[in-house]
């Protein structure tokens, strides 16, 4: 059986490439909506019920989760980025949101293991529900995007794990939006928590 290998987006212009990428993200979102509704609801419940939320991912996945942490802070939740100098010790009642496309990224799996050892829970965002990260998770949201190592994917024409990383942000923003709606807070209440030392 032959496999089509796409080496670059097939779009012929910058504008059409933007549309192509947006369509890929939309396709992943539709599959998440269809297959992961219960997991997303459980994820929102875990975040809302956590004493504190920590986020961790390597590379671009980690950058996406930093953006998610910022929105959770705007919501009034105590959110921390693993590895930052001001991140406190994680303990019981705390939640780690961890992202790894493959679910095998060493640093992410080790942080998830440390979280479980400290009595915390893990919310995993990954493409592989049979991965080591998923095995450590209390809740796993499967993001049906290509993993970074998948060089023959028909899911995306983008390089490496780009579609997964983009989808992590979309899922994070969706969870924030659900929690915001449940909280009953208005925009001004969130705005009051926005950084004023810029």
């Amino acid at each position: 059986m032959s496999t089509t290998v796409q080496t670059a987006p097939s779009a012929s212009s910058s504008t059409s490439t933007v549309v192509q990428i947006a369509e890929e993200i939309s396709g992943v979102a539709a599959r998440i909506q269809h297959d992961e509704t219960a997991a997303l609801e459980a994820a929102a419940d875990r975040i809302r019920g956590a004493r504190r939320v920590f986020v961790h991912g390597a590379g671009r996945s980690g950058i996406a989760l930093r953006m998610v942490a910022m929105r959770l802070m705007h919501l009034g939740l105590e959110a921390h980025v693993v590895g930052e100098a001001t991140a406190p010790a994680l303990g019981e009642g705390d939640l780690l949101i961890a992202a790894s496309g493959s679910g095998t990224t060493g640093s992410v799996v080790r942080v998830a293991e440390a979280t479980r050892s400290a009595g915390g829970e893990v919310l995993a965002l990954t493409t592989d529900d049979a991965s080591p990260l998923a095995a450590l998770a209390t809740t796993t949201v499967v993001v049906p995007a290509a993993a970074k190592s998948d060089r023959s994917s028909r899911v995306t024409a983008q390089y490496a794990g780009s579609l997964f990383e983009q989808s992590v942000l979309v899922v994070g923003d969706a969870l924030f939006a659900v929690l915001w709606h449940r909280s009953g807070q208005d925009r001004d209440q969130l705005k009051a928590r926005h950084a004023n030392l810029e």
Side-chain angles (χ1 to χ4, degrees), residues 78-157:
E78 187 176 343
H80 301 281
V81 177
V82 172
E84 291 293 308
T86 55
L90 182 146
E92 292 187 14
D94 292 335
L95 175 70
L96 171 72
I97 304 176
S100 167
S102 66
T104 62
T105 307
S107 63
V108 178
V109 172
R110 285 191 296 274
V111 168
E113 290 171 339
T115 296
R116 294 302 300 267
S117 295
E121 295 187 341
V122 177
L123 164 58
L125 304 177
T126 181
T127 66
D128 186 357
D129 61 356
S131 65
L133 178 61
L136 291 162
T138 311
T139 303
T140 299
V141 176
V142 176
V143 179
K148 182 166 47 181
S149 60
D150 188 354
R151 300 178 189 274
S152 62
S153 174
R154 296 180 182 182
V155 175
T156 181

Side-chain angles (χ1 to χ4, degrees), residues 19 25 59 123-124 131 135 162 166 176 194:
V19 172
I25 296 169
L123 164 58
S131 65
S162 294
Q166 294 153 1
F176 159 76
H194 194 85

Side-chain angles (χ1 to χ4, degrees), residues 46-59:
R46 296 282 182 198
I47 294 170
R48 180 68 265 181
R51 179 176 66 137
R52 298 174 301 185
V53 179
F54 294 73
V55 302
H56 183 59

Side-chain angles (χ1 to χ4, degrees), residues 44 47-48 53 68-79 172-187 189-194:
I47 294 170
R48 180 68 265 181
V53 179
V68 175
M70 181 181 183
R71 286 290 181 255
L72 296 179
M73 175 275 293
H74 288 152
L75 194 58
L77 303 180
E78 187 176 343
D173 275 351
L175 290 170
F176 159 76
V178 168
L179 292 168
W180 180 21
H181 176 75
R182 290 182 185 177
S183 76
Q185 298 180 67
D186 61 29
R187 292 175 186 271
Q189 288 172 286
L190 272 62
K191 178 64 175 175
R193 301 186 187 100
H194 194 85

